[in-house]
Structures are given as structure tokens and as C-alpha cells.
């Protein structure tokens, strides 16, 4: 059986090829602005707009409102977040029953976190149980959440992860994506997707050649090929 050897591309040759690729600074600036806007860095976006003359594709004022909603969820003030998002656009929750259920679920989690057992049971029965009857997936999530009440020490509870800060972050991210979609904006920034494409392209090329890699996207340092 004949062995196939991969082509070896030296650093000098690879850097020469890279130098031949022309990328407009305006396109790079748009990528940066897209990231700042999507992730909600309003002050950085305003400063970058002045420094680079790059116009954002949405009103930067809406970022402040969107981040206020997200902050409310991160702080456990879910009812406030719901009021704020309804002020922005009531259709967001009206047309997304899964998102609304997850927000109500988060309200239940916050009641349990604060030790308000009676209020939690009442809220679950009145607000969430009817939705669980209509949707089996919702019912499973409700049962999983109510299970928190069966444990005095939630650190030993098999569903204790619901009380982690990461659960608030998950709910806030889902809400943030819905607001962005309602504003006709991508729910995810383009830059991370491009980095994923870079890694995928390198993996494909690995089968055919040995060449300088970018193993750390943060530093973007080229590492010499393995020969």
C-alpha cells in the first residue's frame, strides 16, 4: 500500500501567501462594531464609532435598554425584566411561549432561592402548571424546578444547578437573543463564528499539508509546521 506524504509549507511561504490576501479595514471595523453591539458594550461601541467612523447597524440607544433587561435577569429581578422587555416590544414574549415559560421558571427559581416556599408553590400552581399541561417539555422542566423544594440542603440536590448563576446567564442570553432578533439584528456576533470557521479550515487542511498553525485565536500567533 503506497503511503501518501503531506506537503510541507514553510513559514516564509505561508506568510507570503497571507500577505497577498487583502482585507479592507472597513470590513474589519464592521466586524468589531458587530461584536460590540451584539454583546452590549454600548460605551465601547460609541467610542469605536467616533474613532473609526464606523456606523452601527442599529440605534446604540437600544443597547442600553437591552442591557437593562439583561442586568435585571442577572440580578434575579425577573419580574422587572419582563416589564422592561414588554416596554421595548410586547410582541417578543407574546410570540415566544418558550422564552416566556423560561422567564416564569426563573421567577420560580428566585422565589425558591429566597426561601419563599408558599409563594413558590402558589406561583408554580397558578402560572406554570397550566403551561405544563399544554406542553410536555414545560411540564418536565417545572417538575425539575419544583424538586428543589424537597431539599433543605440544595448543595446535595440533583437539580441544584438551577440555583447556579449560570442558570440566570442562560435565561438572560435567551432573552437577549430574542430582543436582537426582534430588532432585525443577528442574535450572535459574527467574529466567534469566523474563528470557528478558521479552526474548521485548519482541520481540513491538516489532512493535506503541514503548515504554520494559529493554535491560539487570542494571540493569533503562527506556530511553525510540524515536519
Amino acid at each position: 500500500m503506497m503511503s501518501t506524504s503531506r506537503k510541507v509549507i514553510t513559514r516564509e511561504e505561508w506568510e507570503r501567501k497571507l500577505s497577498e490576501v487583502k482585507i479592507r479595514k472597513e470590513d474589519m471595523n464592521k466586524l468589531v462594531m458587530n461584536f460590540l453591539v451584539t454583546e452590549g458594550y454600548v460605551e465601547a461601541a460609541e467610542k469605536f464609532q467616533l474613532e473609526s467612523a464606523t456606523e452601527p447597524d442599529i440605534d446604540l440607544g437600544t443597547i442600553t435598554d437591552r442591557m437593562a433587561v439583561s442586568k435585571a435577569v442577572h440580578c434575579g429581578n425577573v419580574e422587572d425584566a419582563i416589564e422592561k422587555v414588554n416596554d421595548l416590544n410586547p410582541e417578543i414574549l407574546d410570540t415566544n411561549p418558550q422564552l416566556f415559560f423560561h422567564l416564569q421558571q426563573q421567577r420560580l427559581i428566585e422565589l425558591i432561592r429566597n426561601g419563599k416556599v408558599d409563594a413558590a408553590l402558589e406561583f408554580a400552581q397558578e402560572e406554570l402548571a397550566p403551561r405544563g399541561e399544554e406542553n410536555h417539555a414545560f411540564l418536565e422542566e417545572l417538575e425539575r424546578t419544583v424538586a428543589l423544594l424537597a431539599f433543605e440542603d440544595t448543595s446535595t440536590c440533583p437539580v441544584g444547578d438551577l440555583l447556579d448563576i449560570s442558570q440566570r446567564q442562560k435565561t438572560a442570553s435567551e432573552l437577549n437573543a430574542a430582543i436582537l432578533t426582534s430588532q432585525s439584528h443577528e442574535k450572535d456576533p459574527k467574529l466567534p463564528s469566523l474563528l470557528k470557521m478558521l479552526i474548521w479550515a485548519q482541520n481540513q487542511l491538516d489532512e493535506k499539508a503541514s503548515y504554520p498553525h494559529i493554535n491560539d485565536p487570542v494571540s493569533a500567533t503562527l506556530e511553525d509546521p510540524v515536519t
Side-chain angles (χ1 to χ4, degrees):
M1 181 176 181
M2 295 181 61
S3 62
T4 59
S5 59
R6 295 186 303 164
K7 179 180 180 180
V8 176
I9 304 175
T10 64
R11 173 183 287 269
E12 292 74 20
E13 183 181 359
W14 191 251
E15 289 182 340
R16 179 178 58 80
K17 291 180 179 293
L18 289 178
S19 67
E20 295 172 355
V21 179
K22 304 301 180 184
I23 301 176
R24 297 192 313 154
K25 186 176 182 180
E26 291 83 356
D27 292 334
M28 295 297 295
N29 287 342
K30 287 181 180 179
L31 273 177
V32 174
M33 180 61 81
N34 171 265
F35 178 82
L36 295 175
V37 167
T38 306
E39 294 298 306
Y41 299 113
V42 60
E43 292 183 3
E46 290 172 343
K47 186 175 181 181
F48 188 70
Q49 181 182 19
L50 291 174
E51 293 178 350
S52 67
T54 303
E55 292 297 324
D57 54 4
I58 65 172
D59 180 1
L60 292 182
T62 63
I63 300 178
T64 303
D65 296 332
R66 177 162 52 87
M67 288 300 99
V69 174
S70 182
K71 182 179 180 181
V73 177
H74 279 106
C75 292
N77 300 323
V78 185
E79 193 170 1
D80 183 43
I82 292 174
E83 290 179 3
K84 289 181 184 300
V85 75
N86 281 333
D87 288 340
L88 280 176
N89 184 351
E91 290 187 1
I92 293 174
L93 298 182
D94 288 345
T95 59
N96 196 330
Q98 178 172 291
L99 172 60
F100 185 67
F101 176 84
H102 286 156
L103 286 169
Q104 296 290 67
Q105 179 189 23
Q106 192 64 45
R107 286 181 66 183
L108 175 59
I109 291 170
E110 300 304 335
L111 288 171
I112 296 172
R113 187 196 311 277
N114 294 323
K116 299 179 179 180
V117 177
D118 291 340
L121 287 171
E122 182 180 355
F123 184 78
Q125 183 177 3
E126 294 183 358
E127 300 294 336
L128 294 174
R131 299 180 185 277
E133 292 174 357
E134 299 171 358
N135 187 305
H136 183 70
F138 291 171
L139 180 60
E140 288 184 347
E141 291 190 61
L142 174 58
E143 291 174 344
R144 186 166 180 266
T145 306
V146 172
L148 288 168
L149 294 170
F151 293 83
E152 292 185 7
D153 181 6
T154 55
S155 64
T156 62
C157 176
V159 293
D161 58 294
L162 291 173
L163 294 172
D164 291 344
I165 297 301
S166 60
Q167 178 65 26
R168 286 181 178 176
Q169 293 171 339
K170 179 182 177 182
T171 305
S173 295
E174 184 180 359
L175 182 54
N176 183 60
I179 296 173
L180 284 168
T181 300
S182 75
Q183 296 171 343
S184 300
H185 191 281
E186 303 100 330
K187 63 181 181 179
D188 297 308
K190 295 177 180 177
L191 194 55
S193 296
L194 289 174
L195 292 176
K196 290 179 182 178
M197 288 179 63
L198 167 66
I199 295 172
W200 176 84
Q202 286 190 156
N203 290 337
Q204 296 298 307
L205 189 55
D206 283 343
E207 300 177 3
K208 300 179 180 179
S210 176
Y211 60 97
H213 274 66
I214 295 179
N215 293 325
D216 182 4
V218 176
S219 65
T221 302
L222 281 176
E223 298 186 13
D224 288 330
V226 178
T227 57

